[in-house]
Amino acid sequence: MKGSRGEAAKDWVIDVRGLSVERDRPILREVNWRVRRGEHWAVMGANGSGKTALLRSVTGYMTASSGEVLVAGGDADEPWESLRQRVGFVSSNLGQRIEEDEPVLETVISGRYSMINYWARRVRREDREMAREILERVECSHLEKMPWGVLSQGERQRVLIGRALMLEELQLLLLDEPCAGLDPVARERFLRFVERLGEGSRDEGPTVVLITHHIEEIIPLFSHVLLLREGRVVEQGEAGACLRSGVLSEVFDARVSVRRRSGRYVLEVEGEDGDAWD
């Protein structure tokens, strides 16, 4: 992370300027992206488009080849260990690192200390009370004493969101393909939960960023989208203006059509004969 803020930190939670990442090949190419407070974004692209690299750059786990990444009001000199107290992260990979016998309440509490698995000798009363309030907020109070290993994938994702909400200074919540592994019904229930969570904290809650390659997962909560292809930004801005058939055809390098139904988006892929495949 390098560079300077250039404007009041209160105005933004992500400020990416000219970000390029190269390893054996270019991964991200001159990405510019700014997320202001009060906006919720979806980042979408095909496999290999650079979504994961962008996420790893924003969370400090991937070093830029050039450009700058400023997050959660931080500046160039603030260490990532401090910044991560303001950035919550939810992914299936994170869940795989949690011990199967850890009780859900301790999994949530571990987020306050940025731990994977809660290894402190005893649970403080104030932490227990806060975790119970959060479990109620994420609609998982009934799971408090359950061991991690018996939870469904959807329950795990909700608990991981609760874990992120334990950060007292939380400004940014990153959801990395949280619907992966969910069946269609479980996915819909989880998305409705995310919508309720976002609506319930719109004024004071964290900015939410969803990483996905499924347009159907872009619920009304997400006001803006960033569309990537081969490490470059194809389009960004308000969701309704960006999620068009021509733009998505470029993003996925295929002829697709986009429809909007009941506030949600549906993508159809056209076959070589012009027929649409749902």
Side-chain angles (χ1 to χ4, degrees):
M1 182 178 67
K2 56 184 179 179
S4 59
R5 256 182 312 213
E7 70 173 74
K10 66 180 181 180
D11 293 334
W12 56 268
V13 288
I14 298 176
D15 192 4
V16 175
R17 306 177 188 178
L19 174 65
S20 293
V21 174
E22 294 189 16
R23 295 301 182 256
D24 295 331
R25 60 181 179 82
I27 300 173
L28 291 174
R29 314 179 193 212
E30 293 292 323
V31 173
N32 294 288
W33 179 36
R34 173 168 289 183
V35 175
R36 297 186 180 279
R37 299 184 190 278
E39 299 173 347
H40 301 298
W41 284 69
V43 178
M44 190 171 71
N47 292 331
S49 62
K51 301 188 302 297
T52 298
L54 179 59
L55 179 67
R56 288 177 59 82
S57 298
V58 167
T59 52
Y61 291 108
M62 179 170 281
T63 303
S65 300
S66 61
E68 60 187 16
V69 179
L70 302 174
V71 179
D75 58 31
D77 299 321
E78 184 172 3
W80 273 107
E81 289 74 14
S82 174
L83 283 171
R84 290 187 186 122
Q85 294 300 309
R86 304 196 291 273
V87 179
F89 179 56
V90 173
S91 76
S92 298
N93 290 335
L94 176 62
Q96 293 171 3
R97 298 166 60 191
I98 296 174
E99 294 179 356
E100 292 199 351
D101 61 349
E102 180 173 72
V104 162
L105 188 70
E106 292 186 10
T107 299
V108 174
I109 291 171
S110 71
R112 186 168 189 177
Y113 304 99
S114 299
M115 294 179 182
I116 301 294
N117 302 311
Y118 187 71
W119 46 260
R121 289 188 177 181
R122 56 190 297 269
V123 176
R124 299 193 308 169
R125 183 177 64 181
E126 54 266 38
D127 288 346
R128 182 183 294 109
E129 291 174 352
M130 183 177 177
R132 283 174 172 160
E133 290 176 1
I134 287 174
L135 279 172
E136 182 176 358
R137 183 178 173 189
V138 300
E139 305 170 8
C140 289
S141 294
H142 60 293
L143 300 176
E144 175 183 331
K145 297 180 181 180
M146 299 292 287
W148 179 258
V150 305
L151 301 186
S152 70
Q153 184 66 11
E155 289 170 339
R156 288 185 175 193
Q157 297 297 65
R158 292 190 187 204
V159 171
L160 287 177
I161 288 177
R163 177 182 179 276
L165 294 176
M166 280 292 291
L167 291 170
E168 293 185 290
E169 301 178 47
L170 182 65
Q171 297 181 22
L172 177 63
L173 178 59
L174 302 171
L175 305 180
D176 182 18
E177 299 193 13
C179 297
L182 299 181
D183 63 51
V185 173
R187 181 181 75 167
E188 192 62 25
R189 287 173 177 167
F190 178 78
L191 290 173
R192 290 178 182 179
F193 155 72
V194 172
E195 185 76 25
R196 291 193 299 272
L197 186 69
E199 289 292 340
S201 60
R202 186 173 292 277
D203 294 331
E204 298 181 358
T207 292
V208 182
V209 174
L210 170 74
I211 308 297
T212 184
H213 50 260
H214 294 294
I215 194 173
E216 296 81 6
E217 296 176 5
I218 301 178
I219 54 180
L221 173 69
F222 298 106
S223 55
H224 292 69
V225 296
L226 176 73
L227 304 176
L228 296 173
R229 178 184 175 188
E230 297 179 350
R232 297 185 185 276
V233 175
V234 174
E235 192 89 42
Q236 64 176 298
E238 293 186 2
C242 294
L243 296 176
R244 307 188 309 273
S245 298
V247 175
L248 271 296
S249 293
E250 182 178 355
V251 168
F252 291 103
D253 192 24
R255 292 176 60 188
V256 305
S257 61
V258 177
R259 293 182 290 113
R260 193 169 184 179
R261 182 171 60 201
S262 302
R264 298 281 292 278
Y265 297 92
V266 178
L267 183 145
E268 294 180 341
V269 181
E270 297 182 5
E272 293 182 1
D273 55 2
D275 291 337
W277 299 352
D278 288 340

